[in-house]
Amino acid sequence: MPEFQPDKLTVKFMPPTTPCLPVDGRKYTLTHSDETGALYLAIGTEYDCSALNVKLRDEVMANWDASLGQYLLTVNVYVDGVENEYAQAKARYTIFRKNLNLAITAIINGDKEFYCFFPWLVDCPIYVQFQSSFHEFNQRIFYGTPRYYWLD
């Protein structure tokens, strides 16, 4: 897995979202450039659909929500891609699993100021939902807490 390089991360806030608000429904859209290794994080109340490549569908999307009285960060990835073929889904699942720590690190560190306003969120759970029509890849996996991905 490549190491996170903060200088390769570009962050944009989509109004009305700010570095401190909102918490409920705060959404992240993380995309990247295969050529440069640059990462692009959009933070808003909606996903940044303009940043999505509908042919590749290799973005990572996440959102903060309350569930049973506790906040959690849910990360979503689309395993099947456009072709919806088993071999492709298996390869994409493997790639996502290999690179998710980098993606989550980018999301957490790209929104670091947010945690200054809500420090208790650094100990909330992160769940990754691998979305697939193939049962073995359609999984929800616990990925720790934001504290695990925090860089000083």
Side-chain angles (χ1 to χ4, degrees), residues 66-121:
S67 176
L68 302 173
Q70 178 182 24
Y71 278 93
L72 57 103
L73 182 63
T74 301
V75 178
N76 295 288
V77 295
Y78 299 99
V79 174
D80 293 355
V82 177
E83 293 81 16
N84 202 26
E85 296 175 0
Y86 180 84
Q88 176 107 12
K90 184 175 182 179
R92 286 171 58 84
Y93 177 80
T94 301
I95 291 167
F96 274 125
R97 287 295 303 257
K98 179 181 172 188
N99 292 300
L100 260 171
N101 283 344
L102 172 66
I104 296 171
T105 299
I107 290 169
I108 299 304
N109 288 278
D111 202 15
K112 230 175 185 175
E113 191 175 347
F114 178 65
Y115 298 100
C116 294
F117 294 97
F118 303 99
W120 46 272
L121 288 177

Side-chain angles (χ1 to χ4, degrees), residues 107 147-148:
I107 290 169
R147 184 179 302 279
Y148 175 79

